[in-house]
Amino acid sequence: KAAIAAGIDSIMTAHIQFPALDPSNDPATLSHPILTGILRGELGYQGVIITDALDMQGVRDKYGDARVPVLALKAGVDQLLNPPDLPTAWNGVLAAVRSGELPESRLDESILRVLRLKARRGLFSRPYVSDREIDRTVGTRSHLAAADRIAERTTTLLLNKGALLPLSRRREKNLLVLGADPASPSGSTGPPTTVLGKEFDRLGFSATVLSTGTLPTQAQIDAAVAAAHGKDAVVVGTYNAGAGGAQSKLVAALVASGVPVVQIAIRNPYDIAALPTVGAALATYSWTDVELRAAARVIAGAVEPRGKLPVPVQRADDPAQVLYPVGYGLSY
């Protein structure tokens, strides 16, 4: 509601089921009751609706790549993001139009919204920009500083046993930084462990970096435990760590070594449910460079943790039980 009131140009759908809003078990991307009934009707949104990526399994499994674009357009979507096979998607829409299932008038509505957006943004009068204009706007010092502030304010501290954090450059100077290293998002340098290690070094710590991946082997776990020997603390980045999985085993082995362990969930915030024995845990919601550097600054006490959970974190063994509710977040 706040975004619509502020005149937001575009809203992206999620491939998530909301049974309370649509009992069909379709994801919101394909839901007419949600996109047309609620977003267009109840909330009065008239801007552009774009799907999340259509190559994601959450939207592909039930209907297939030829039907998903049709159902998304029928639901009220204006733009289709990343169909995995463009000819399949195009021909699926064409067949639906020719059969009368998808009226041309429905497509005209979306075309008009996209054209209006382009007109508002000056893309008809000034369709091109110069490199010099880009450099004056993109990646400027003020914009980078704003990104740092946003990242710092959203980094969420979930657990801090015995006031382990913030780490001290005197008491915990020698760090082992390890964990998952998924491919870096566009615009990032990565990998995550390297970004974290460099930021800790900049903050006055001495960081040893070790990449263990999302599926560490027993040999990698043993090497990580050996590397932790003599360190003052371990910072481990986890990426969708399920209970009993390889990443959980890695963290458990590190905790058993006796070295204080700080865990960072670098994607979904739910990892802490599978890692309850760590000394401290944070959620960054992303593994972009700016988020990882902000997490390091929070861990080092250069900034206060101010983030709050936007979702509940449930117990791994009993999802009906909430470990951390919406709005939860510790500070120093």
Side-chain angles (χ1 to χ4, degrees):
K1 288 180 180 179
I4 293 170
I8 196 75
D9 283 333
S10 184
I11 291 178
M12 177 177 280
T13 69
H15 308 324
I16 298 174
Q17 295 176 353
F18 289 90
L21 304 179
D22 183 352
S24 70
N25 292 324
D26 283 342
T29 297
L30 309 181
S31 172
H32 188 275
I34 292 175
L35 300 187
T36 297
I38 295 176
L39 188 55
R40 295 282 189 218
E42 292 183 24
L43 301 182
Y45 180 63
Q46 294 304 313
V48 172
I49 299 175
I50 186 170
T51 70
D52 202 344
L54 298 183
D55 59 355
M56 299 165 70
Q57 289 305 120
V59 75
R60 296 177 71 187
D61 284 345
K62 188 174 179 180
Y63 294 108
D65 294 338
R67 288 294 296 163
V68 164
V70 175
L71 296 174
L73 291 167
K74 289 177 67 175
V77 160
D78 300 307
Q79 292 183 317
L80 306 168
L81 176 64
N82 287 357
D85 185 273
L86 192 56
T88 297
W90 189 88
N91 283 303
V93 172
L94 181 61
V97 171
R98 284 177 171 169
S99 71
E101 178 188 6
L102 185 61
E104 286 190 44
S105 59
R106 170 71 271 280
L107 299 183
D108 289 342
E109 293 173 6
S110 292
I111 292 169
L112 185 58
R113 289 191 188 100
V114 173
L115 292 176
R116 282 173 171 163
L117 174 56
K118 289 183 176 183
R120 287 198 303 273
R121 293 304 173 195
L123 296 183
F124 297 124
S125 58
R126 297 181 67 242
Y128 305 108
V129 295
S130 68
D131 292 345
R132 183 177 299 176
E133 288 178 346
I134 292 173
D135 291 339
R136 281 201 296 261
T137 303
V138 178
T140 61
R141 182 175 298 178
S142 62
H143 289 177
L144 294 175
D148 284 337
R149 290 194 301 272
I150 292 168
E152 290 169 356
R153 293 172 183 175
T154 55
T155 301
T156 307
L157 180 61
L158 298 177
L159 182 67
N160 193 19
K161 295 179 181 177
L164 172 59
L165 299 182
L167 298 182
S168 165
R169 287 175 295 180
R170 293 183 296 274
R171 296 190 309 271
E172 296 98 10
K173 182 176 181 62
N174 295 310
L175 303 179
L176 173 63
V177 178
L178 76 164
D181 271 335
S184 296
S186 56
S188 293
T189 57
T193 52
T194 300
V195 174
L196 284 168
K198 287 181 178 179
E199 187 67 7
F200 280 120
D201 287 340
R202 189 190 69 80
L203 291 165
F205 295 84
S206 178
T208 300
V209 173
L210 179 64
S211 176
T212 51
T214 56
L215 293 171
T217 64
Q218 188 59 51
Q220 288 175 310
I221 293 174
D222 294 341
V225 172
H229 181 72
K231 300 297 182 185
D232 299 315
V234 172
V235 178
V236 55
T238 61
Y239 180 100
N240 296 355
Q247 292 182 71
S248 297
K249 292 177 181 177
L250 167 67
V251 174
L254 291 168
V255 171
S257 74
V259 181
V261 175
V262 179
Q263 175 258 339
I264 308 173
I266 64 173
R267 192 181 187 194
N268 295 328
Y270 311 114
D271 291 2
I272 183 57
L275 313 166
T277 58
V278 295
L282 303 94
T284 62
Y285 314 100
S286 169
W287 65 104
T288 56
D289 295 357
V290 66
E291 295 288 352
L292 295 169
R293 290 194 297 263
R297 292 194 295 275
V298 168
I299 291 170
V303 294
E304 293 274 332
R306 297 171 59 183
K308 304 295 181 184
L309 276 176
V311 293
V313 174
Q314 293 105 336
R315 285 182 49 160
D317 58 348
D318 184 3
Q321 299 295 317
V322 174
L323 284 174
Y324 304 105
V326 172
Y328 181 87
L330 301 175
S331 190
Y332 298 147

